[in-house]
Amino acid sequence: MDLIAIEGRVAADRIAARDRTPESELQLAATLCELATGYLETKNDGSVRNRVAGALEPAQEAVMIRLRWFTAGRVSAVFANEVQDTLRLLEQAARAIGHRELATATIRDACNAYTRVAHEHPNAAGVCADGLSKCGVWLCRLDPGAAVVATNEAVRIRATLFEADPEQCRKYLATLNTLLRTLMVGRQRKQAVSMYRERYTALTTPAMAAQLRALKIEEIGFTGKTQAALRKLECRTLERAGYLTQQQILYQSAGDLATIEELNWQLALVGLKPLVAGAMPDQPAKPVEIGSSFGALSVLCSAPDALEQVRAAIIETFTAAGAERADINTAYGVDKTHWGTRDPQMNAAAELGEDIVLVERLSGSWVGVKSLKWELTPVAKNPLALSLSKHWPVLSVTSTESFAYELCWYEQGSATQYAALGRPAEPVALDAPLAPLDFGKLADYGADYASETQIRSAFGNATMFAKLTELPASGIRQAAEARPLAEYGDLVLCFRAPAAGRATATRTTG
């Protein structure tokens, strides 16, 4: 950007603006904005001198010019957006050089201008409310008290528009959302909600409140997870969602604590109380509920690069066993949309070889490792788990449909703990007796809301147990049913035996 040329245009436009016509002055404002933008961009341009400090003066001058013509009656939506863009530029410039006082004073002037225009030009009230809300967001960093005043005025304007036009319902809700967030700055949640309710009650009529509470969940802007949870619980409106309990969200849907927080926030916006805790779910039905057959490992590693560390350890383990990396697109037909394999078979081999392994991040603490060939193994004899447990604790999950659900804890290169439901697997010779599984440890690294008691109670239901502990609920075969394994990219590792070994195996088979 040629700053010298822009400075020359500013000088020329300033001379032309001496006639005080709107066209010439607004052209000067546009050029001043361009100059301020150019100054700000020098911060990241190593080829020129840093001139960020010079951006504040032209940005403020452009704001004052546009605000003057905005209050003079130039109130179109397009021009209102230009005013907002100029204010945003000023806020960026003031933040870059730390000149908070000037930015605060100028944004306050803008709030006064928006309020005045909304009174004098009702047709521009909507854009003024939007402008006040945005100014409130900026002032949260500069002057929280002024931010509350600005967003409160935006709510007042939107309330008037909503009362006259029911179609303004969602815009009113969005402005209420900004007000509550503004009140949260520097205050305890209880105090902020109390202050919000005073303003909400004063501005919202019973008819308006009823319409807000009757909004469909698809119209509110919930996240996909929350929408899915509410649909599963057959809640179509916000008011109906207020009758749910936290336990219903956690145990009868795919929701979690974030879902509860999101619902409580929206309920507070329309003057409803937060979700109550609710009763604990009944004990799982007997006999135990065991799903389809699968096997998987959970590696306890909470490092930021846990996935990369575990993946590297798997490659090292298979390489040490003599296996070679192979192209996933040519192995076992995994590139096909419909990938068919036999049901998982018990594999008692102690040495790793040909295999396909899927590595996925399950949660903040667990990394899932799903093997094709060593999916089902004898208790305490999984060679991949034994190897990985030299670096991290590993928990193997083995589910045999309508037969057994087994967990085995590996640590420091050997199996140490065990728990099972259903008929146990065939007895195997163990190097050392296995202690009972420590469910408290699973609670420490499971879902935030799950206690040891809840996890023990859910051990009769494999699906609920997996949800509370964040352990795998499926294996590599189920992952392949969802989409071709080749589409998992770097998450899938393919290993083949050396060419000589494959040739020997072929001759022996023949």
Side-chain angles (χ1 to χ4, degrees), residues 148 179-197 199 261 265 268:
V148 172
L179 173 61
L180 181 53
R181 293 190 182 280
T182 304
L183 289 169
M184 288 285 184
V185 177
R187 297 180 180 86
Q188 295 291 332
R189 183 185 181 97
K190 186 175 181 180
Q191 180 190 11
V193 171
S194 177
M195 295 173 64
Y196 170 82
R197 283 177 177 167
R199 291 162 171 77
E261 175 62 26
W265 182 273

Side-chain angles (χ1 to χ4, degrees), residues 313 316-318 352 382-392 394 413:
E316 180 182 352
T317 298
F318 275 90
L352 297 171
N382 189 310
L384 186 53
L386 290 168
S387 176
L388 293 176
S389 66
K390 296 176 183 177
H391 307 284
W392 311 276
V394 176

